[in-house]
Amino acid sequence: MMTKLKVTMLGTGSPWPDVERSGPAQILWIDDQPILIDCGEKVSYQLSKANIDLASIDYVFLTHLHADHILGYGQFLLGRWFSSRKKLTLIGPKGTKQFHQQILKMYEEDIAYKLSLGRPSEGLLDTNIIEIESSGEIEIDLPKHVKVRTAEMIHSILTYAYR
């Protein structure tokens, strides 16, 4: 049986706020598995609007760490944690792990409070982070044994395209 691929555009905006557009974010569907590419502003809202449950997303790929591509990550991460105990895998260029840890640090008091109430740490503190070292194939356990290749793009900061 052939793998079915589909793309859902969640946001195609730029760094400048626009009431009619959201920050860069897309869902790549591999059959019924949604994979989030970039995490721009309003991504959680756009996912809800598209009837895509945050808990259904197990993989997030970041193309690069410009603000307009990552501003929605904190809300996505915490919102997903509230609705899921499933492990998240975050893939991106060098600096992705530090970025993720900064988000946790920013919200450490809120996270500690929720943990003290008994909320399990699974789905948040166990995030699997893969930093891309160079162009080529990356090892990741995607559905249907899909393989991912990366290619460095010309941009003002380290940026990867995914195939």
Side-chain angles (χ1 to χ4, degrees):
M1 187 170 172
M2 196 166 166
T3 301
K4 186 174 120 191
L5 299 176
K6 180 175 95 171
V7 175
T8 301
M9 303 303 284
L10 300 171
T12 59
S14 67
W16 295 274
D18 184 331
V19 73
E20 310 240 342
R21 298 177 74 182
S22 297
Q26 303 81 38
I27 291 288
L28 169 63
W29 294 92
I30 300 176
D31 291 330
D32 293 329
Q33 173 69 50
I35 296 170
L36 182 58
I37 313 291
D38 284 332
C39 229
E41 184 181 22
K42 300 192 269 186
V43 68
S44 296
Y45 170 77
Q46 291 296 88
L47 286 164
S48 295
K49 199 169 157 185
N51 292 316
I52 302 169
D53 185 6
L54 294 177
S56 70
I57 298 171
D58 299 330
Y59 302 93
V60 176
F61 284 78
L62 299 177
T63 57
H64 62 293
L65 301 177
H66 271 160
D68 58 321
H69 288 254
I70 61 175
L71 277 171
Y73 181 70
Q75 184 179 28
F76 167 80
L77 179 67
L78 294 175
R80 184 183 178 278
W81 177 48
F82 298 154
S83 63
S84 174
R85 310 265 188 294
K86 293 173 21 186
K87 190 170 187 172
L88 178 67
T89 297
L90 175 65
I91 301 104
K94 186 174 169 49
T96 297
K97 184 174 188 171
Q98 180 183 356
F99 164 68
H100 173 80
Q101 290 170 336
Q102 286 298 115
I103 295 290
L104 294 178
K105 178 90 174 126
M106 239 171 35
Y107 297 108
E108 72 182 332
E109 203 172 314
D110 186 33
I111 292 167
Y113 171 70
K114 288 174 175 60
L115 292 171
S116 77
L117 295 176
R119 174 168 292 282
S121 64
E122 291 83 16
L124 179 69
L125 301 182
D126 61 349
T127 300
N128 177 34
I129 300 168
I130 299 170
E131 286 193 340
I132 301 165
E133 305 268 329
S134 62
S135 295
E137 195 168 298
I138 58 173
E139 292 289 323
I140 183 168
D141 186 27
L142 284 171
K144 303 278 186 175
H145 306 290
V146 170
K147 296 186 185 302
V148 176
R149 294 194 56 78
T150 66
E152 191 172 330
M153 297 288 103
I154 298 171
H155 198 30
S156 60
I157 63 171
L158 184 59
T159 302
Y160 285 99
Y162 300 103
R163 176 177 161 193

